[in-house]
Structures are given as structure tokens and as C-alpha cells.
Amino acid sequence: MNALAKVPGSVGVVAPGDMQFDDPLLLKSGAVIPSYSLRYETYGTLNADRSNAVLVCHALNASHHVAGTYAHDPKDVGWWDNLIGPGKPIDTDRFFVVGVNNLGGCHGSTGPATINPATGRPWGADFPVVTVDDWVAAQARLADRLGIRRFAAVVGGSLGAMQALQWTIAFPDRVRHALVIAAAPKLSAQNIAFNEVARQAITTDPDFHGGDYYAHGVVPRRGLRLARMLGHITYLSDDAMAEKFGRALRQGEFKFGFDVEFEIESYLRYQGDKFSTYFDANTYLRITKALDYFDPALACGGRLAEALKGAVARFLVVSFTSDWRFSPARSREIVKALLDTGKDVSYAEIDAPHGHDAFLMDDPRYHGLIRAFLADADTDRSAQP
Amino acid sequence: MNALAKVPGSVGVVAPGDMQFDDPLLLKSGAVIPSYSLRYETYGTLNADRSNAVLVCHALNASHHVAGTYAHDPKDVGWWDNLIGPGKPIDTDRFFVVGVNNLGGCHGSTGPATINPATGRPWGADFPVVTVDDWVAAQARLADRLGIRRFAAVVGGSLGAMQALQWTIAFPDRVRHALVIAAAPKLSAQNIAFNEVARQAITTDPDFHGGDYYAHGVVPRRGLRLARMLGHITYLSDDAMAEKFGRALRQGEFKFGFDVEFEIESYLRYQGDKFSTYFDANTYLRITKALDYFDPALACGGRLAEALKGAVARFLVVSFTSDWRFSPARSREIVKALLDTGKDVSYAEIDAPHGHDAFLMDDPRYHGLIRAFLADADTDRSAQP
């Protein structure tokens, strides 16, 4: 069959695996996780010289389930399924793709809701703060165990992009291509401010119980719901919201009360309600902190180029015009730092109306760019025989 | 003394008054307020032909206390004191300035915390939803009682500007100058979304008790605090936050915990805490609804020019470049509608870094503009002798 004639498809039914690590992991905070487990999925086949592995790093509300579906739940499609699969821009006929739920997560990897072997109770408030650096360190150990010395590519959007960037700093010789999408080199005060409101919503919920709500048989659902509603505002552009909802009324006329009047209210309440039924509040808190703390230039006196000078990857940096959470200007900071230190970097600013969430959309220019960037990426020309 | 030599000063110690209204007020929602009281302040002297009155309309977190201080609390300076006083742009040596706490407020006018004469208990949840139209109707009755047939000017910023605009529509022959500052002709979906998150924070606070928290001896402080924190993010520009706080740390280094790390967190918590001690949650809910409902073009099939065609005032519209809550584009919608229907309108876009809050700042270009616009406003050339 001619490869060009293939219809891009799904990786099909997938199943996650769990990898147990019994070597203690020293975290950036100084805390130690004595042992932990990471949940992951893989799609495609690792080639003979192990040069075709692609790591996909997830952002706030995502997981190891990047592509395909589950046998028990065919509707549970991976969060980046439009990008990854046979014939898709990250082509699983060519690449061996790895998705992993980060340490501290709530989708199967060890996190605050996991039983702490030392106490026999959920970690809860005792689960340490984890950082992007820690996630990358844990991902590197997973790569070791999967026999992946060097990734053909590390890919991420938003917080996932921060992990891709950190890979090129912490393990420069283990990344041949870094795809840094809808990123920022560090959060702005406004970014931190939104995170802080979300955290305060959770920690001041009476059902939070200082983070040990598991023992009380409750979850801080009100706080999680507010955090998610607020998050959604920052993921969408003003224009996208105007386009999608505008001032459309739920019942066609003003009711002058506190029930839903506008469609946007209904949408936000729905999103908040749904999220609060499945996401762990302690994980949410820690992921927002990981975002706040990310600042690779800090150790280099604020000089990002200095922080990136050891990187050897080829970089693709992509931003979206309507993204006001991490605007194109933030991506250009990364591009400038890479250029200042002589790196191989391609940059594209995609004219897209969807805001920050554009990185998850199926835009042909954006996806075409990734496809082209990875055209030769499954062969490691520098690899030892 | 030569007027030009005067140093702009304060109106000094002021005292509010209360005006009781026993004529029922039919609200836009169809509800009726049988009787109510409005708290107000005045500065300067109403001239013989009553042509020098200026009404100042307040936004979300403000009141009738527009200028001057109180004898019992000299630090309680009026919220627009930098604009209003002897020799200031709204010169109380020339103008008779009126500030009024809106109906439904919590600074002395009848509102949800007021005792409902029909029950002997606070209005609470039974206090109706009030709109910008209702506020303007109530302000007009206050003007009647103060003997003001026609205002030299009606002035407001943000939600206050919406009231100024509504004055020119509801009572066109009672406004000679309208100052519409940092306004929008209606909220966007994103604006409504932020309001909805704030409302949900309040109404899902367990201490809200469906709005009848007064009887329980509590207030939904957690929710109010979150609402205020979120509000503050939208009042400041990203740049202003970066300038003021950046990523400055409270204690100089990361602590990897959930106490305050960044100065911006400390600022927001402080603002939220302070606000939650004095502002009434039911008032907050109603003010955000008044914002959501404001849409003078709605009754004219969305044609704002049509809604404004009866206005006879001279208009000054001012926006601020860094205002992302109500961006300059929103003010230009108003200007375009006014021009389309042949009104006398001046428009200025002030290059200011402070975001939405710029309308409260003492910017010489901005204040100079108001001063110039009002140069002849204390004389009503069309007035009957």
C-alpha cells in the first residue's frame, strides 16, 4: 500500500501500563519520594536502534492517555488523538510514542490520593510539592526502563511545553527534537494570580480539611469547580467566547434572577461540575505550583539563553495569536534566547482564534508544521551503531 | 485671589445625607421596591439657576463618598478625590457635585442587608435584582428632590459610565454633558464569565445560606474574598502587575509550600481579606448582574445608534490602552454609535499602563481632558430664565 494513500487513523484500543520505581527520588524542594509508580501508554513500535521514541508531556488536565481509546470505554479518546496515530503528524507507523501521567497526578501515577506506604493512609497534605524538573527526572527514569536512551522528540503544549524545554536543559543529549508549543519561559504575575485564586478556592473550601479530605469522605468540590471555571476563561480567547457564546440567553429572555441567564454561564458551570467529579484537588494545587515555580533562567541570573546554552536539540516553537494566557510574546522570549545561544530553532505564530486551547485543535497549518518538522526525526544520524 | 494661582485642594470634611422615598419604584424586572432610602453626598454650591450640578455614578466597589474625608475618619478619602475638589478638573468652586450610593448597595442606601419593613428582617435573598436602568431612575428621583432639573454633567467610569450613558437615553433632556469613561456598551461573554465565577464563589460558600446569611450570623466571606481577588486581576493590566509585582518572592527564595511565595499572592489575599470584611455579598451579586444585563441596544434590535438617537448631551468618551476588561475597542463601539446618529462626541484613548483601574488614576492628560471638556459646563446657555 502506498503510504501517501493512507487515511490517517486511530491507534485503536490501547491499555495503560504501570512502572514501579523503588529508588528514592530527591525532589527539587529537598523532599524525597521513597518509591512511586508511573502510569503510561505507548503507541507504535520502538525500532531496532531505539531512535524513534517520542515523549508527549501533558499539561494541567491531561494524562498518559494521549491517543486511542479504551476497550471498556470507547468514548474515552486520548487528549491529543488528532495529532497522534497512524498517518497523523506524529505518525505511529514511524514513531514509538510514550505518554505518562506525571508524578503527583491523579490518573494512575503516584500522587496525593495514593496510599503512603509509611502510614497506610493517602498521602494527602504530606505529598510534596513537585516541579517541572522533578517530572522530567521521573520521566527520564521511565525512559531508562523502556530502553530509550535518546528521544527522537519531546513534545508538549502549555505546561507540557515547559517539560519539553526542561528536557533540553536537564538531559540535553537525550532529546533530538523539542516541540515547545503555546509556552512561556516562566509565568507572569497575572498567570500566578489566576493560579492563586484557583488554589484559594480549593484550600478555603470547608471540605478541603487541610488537604486530608480523603479521611473525611469528602472532596473540596466547590473549590475545584471554581478553579476549573476560572481556568476555562483563561484557556479561551475573548473572541472565541464571543463567537461560541456571545450574549446568547439560555431561555431567550432575561429572567432577572441568579439561575443561568447566559449560555456562557451554563457552559462554565457544566465544565466545573464535570471536572470536580474526577480530578483530585491536591493534584490540582500541585500542578499550579509547578507552573508557578517553573523558571529555568532563575539559576542563571535570569538569563534564559544561558540556561539553554547546553541544549543540542532542534527546536520547534509554536504560538497562537489569540492565546492571552501565554501570548506569542512569551514564545518569542524563548525563541530569542535560543537564537542568542546559536540553537537550531524554527518558530511559527499560528493565526488561530481559539486562545490557549488552540494547541489542542486540529489546525492544518499547525499540524502540517509538526509533520514537516518531524519528517526525518525517526532516524538518528548521530547514533552509535 | 487669582483663580489661576489656586492650589487644587480637598473639599474637606464632608457628611452624607439620607433621602427617603416612599413612592414605590417599579424595577425593570417587574419587581417593586415599595420604599427606599438613598445615601448621598454633595460638594460645592448649587447655583441660582441650578445649572451647575454634576452627578458622579459609582462602579462596583465604590459609593456616594466621592470626595473629601469624614470628621470621624480622616483617612477615609472619597474614591475620586483626585478628580473632584476646589481647583480640580471637576471643580467644586464651580460645580455642585452629587455622589449617591446606588439602590441595592451596602454603603447606606437601601439594599439586601436593610430591614424589609414588610417582614422586619433583612431583605436578603428577597431583595430584587436591580439594573442600570433602575439605578438611573432612582438617581433621577434624587435629583428631583435636590431641585436639579438638568445636570451640567453626568460622570462615571466602568459601571458608572454605563449609568452616564443610560442617563442620556432615559432622560436625554436632563444631561448636558456625559462623561463615559472606561466603558463598554454591554459585557462580552468573557466579562460575563468572570462575573459568573465570582457569583458562584459567593453562592456556593456554605455561609451564603441562599442569601439569607444575616439570620445565621455569618457572611460568605470565603466567596467574597475569591470574588474580589478575581476582580483585582481584571482591573489591572498584565503589564501593571508585572511592573508592580513581577515574580518577586515574599521571602527571597522558594519555600515549596502553599503559603505565600510571590508578592502578587500576598497582595491578592490582602485585598480579598479586606474586602470580605465590609462588602455585602448580596450587593456584590446584584451589581455583577446589573453589569451583565446592561445592553441599551437590545431593545433596538442590537442597534446602539438607534438606542442613543434621542440623546442631546455632549459626550466625552475616554478609554485606556492597557484596559483589557473594557478595552478601547469597546469604547470605540460607543463612539461609532454616537457618530452614526450625529452626536457631539469627543473621544480620547489614553496611553496608560494601569489597566481598567486607570480611570481612577491621576493622569494629567486624562484629567486635563475632563477639565477642558467641562470648561463651560457650569453655564446652561439653553436654560430658561
Side-chain angles (χ1 to χ4, degrees), chain B residues 251-332:
Chain B
Q251 299 186 63
E253 59 177 14
F254 288 158
K255 297 295 178 186
F256 297 105
F258 293 96
D259 290 337
V260 164
E261 288 272 19
F262 295 94
E263 288 290 356
I264 180 65
E265 298 172 300
S266 171
Y267 172 79
L268 288 179
R269 291 188 192 185
Y270 173 78
Q271 294 294 340
D273 287 341
K274 194 174 67 168
F275 187 72
S276 69
T277 62
Y278 73 83
F279 207 88
D280 183 62
N282 278 319
T283 290
Y284 198 92
L285 293 175
R286 281 157 183 76
I287 292 181
T288 63
K289 289 302 271 188
L291 277 159
D292 288 5
Y293 288 129
F294 182 69
D295 183 4
L298 188 64
C300 301
R303 294 181 300 277
L304 185 60
E306 177 85 6
L308 288 162
K309 73 170 185 234
V312 295
R314 288 180 60 209
F315 286 85
L316 174 65
V317 178
V318 182
S319 69
F320 300 92
T321 50
S322 60
D323 184 351
W324 66 278
R325 179 175 168 83
F326 296 152
S327 74
R330 310 308 311 278
S331 283
R332 288 195 295 263

Side-chain angles (χ1 to χ4, degrees), chain A residues 104-369:
Chain A
C106 57
H107 288 103
S109 293
T110 296
T114 307
I115 299 296
N116 177 357
T119 63
R121 295 192 306 274
W123 276 92
D126 291 339
F127 197 89
V129 164
V130 282
T131 64
V132 169
D133 300 25
D134 300 328
W135 288 336
V136 167
Q139 290 160 3
R141 287 188 177 183
L142 177 69
D144 294 342
R145 295 276 288 278
L146 295 173
I148 301 162
R149 164 72 196 125
R150 198 177 190 201
F151 280 106
V154 179
V155 186
S158 189
L159 177 56
M162 292 171 171
Q163 295 162 58
L165 204 59
Q166 178 62 21
W167 262 96
T168 70
I169 295 169
F171 303 104
D173 62 339
R174 300 190 70 171
V175 191
R176 287 189 290 120
H177 298 78
L179 288 81
V180 178
I181 303 166
K186 62 186 176 195
L187 296 201
S188 69
Q190 189 188 69
N191 294 147
I192 296 171
F194 279 119
N195 281 345
E196 173 65 2
V197 176
R199 281 191 295 265
Q200 290 291 311
I202 290 169
T203 59
T204 65
D205 184 326
D207 286 336
F208 182 64
H209 295 289
D212 293 318
Y213 44 87
Y214 314 101
H216 294 79
V218 292
V219 296
R221 193 158 287 174
R222 286 171 291 244
L224 261 174
R225 182 173 176 273
L226 292 169
R228 184 61 167 172
M229 292 174 77
L230 181 53
H232 260 283
I233 301 178
T234 70
Y235 305 151
L236 299 177
S237 70
D238 193 11
D239 284 350
M241 271 200 186
E243 174 75 23
K244 194 168 177 181
F245 305 104
R247 293 178 55 88
L249 297 172
R250 193 72 189 283
Q251 300 186 61
E253 58 176 16
F254 289 157
K255 297 293 178 187
F256 297 105
F258 293 96
D259 290 337
V260 163
E261 288 272 18
F262 295 94
E263 289 290 356
I264 180 64
E265 296 172 303
S266 172
Y267 172 80
L268 288 179
R269 290 187 193 185
Y270 173 79
Q271 294 293 340
D273 287 341
K274 194 173 66 168
F275 187 72
S276 70
T277 63
Y278 72 84
F279 207 89
D280 182 63
N282 278 320
T283 290
Y284 198 92
L285 292 176
R286 280 156 184 75
I287 293 181
T288 62
K289 289 301 271 188
L291 277 160
D292 288 5
Y293 288 130
F294 183 70
D295 184 5
L298 187 64
C300 300
R303 294 181 300 276
L304 185 60
E306 177 87 5
L308 288 163
K309 73 169 186 239
V312 295
R314 289 181 61 210
F315 286 85
L316 175 64
V317 179
V318 182
S319 69
F320 301 92
T321 49
S322 60
D323 183 352
W324 66 277
R325 179 175 168 83
F326 296 153
S327 74
R330 310 307 312 278
S331 283
R332 289 196 293 264
E333 293 175 43
I334 298 170
V335 172
K336 182 177 188 310
L338 289 167
L339 291 175
D340 283 351
T341 185
K343 303 305 171 203
D344 179 344
V345 52
S346 301
Y347 173 57
E349 206 165 298
I350 305 281
D351 186 9
H354 314 97
H356 190 59
D357 267 359
F359 87 87
L360 295 167
M361 306 285 173
D362 187 1
D363 179 301
R365 295 160 303 170
Y366 162 48
H367 277 191
L369 204 63

Side-chain angles (χ1 to χ4, degrees), chain B residues 27-44:
Chain B
L27 303 176
K28 194 169 182 180
S29 67
V32 173
I33 297 271
S35 67
Y36 57 97
S37 166
L38 294 181
R39 186 158 293 177
Y40 68 101
E41 290 180 10
T42 68
Y43 325 114

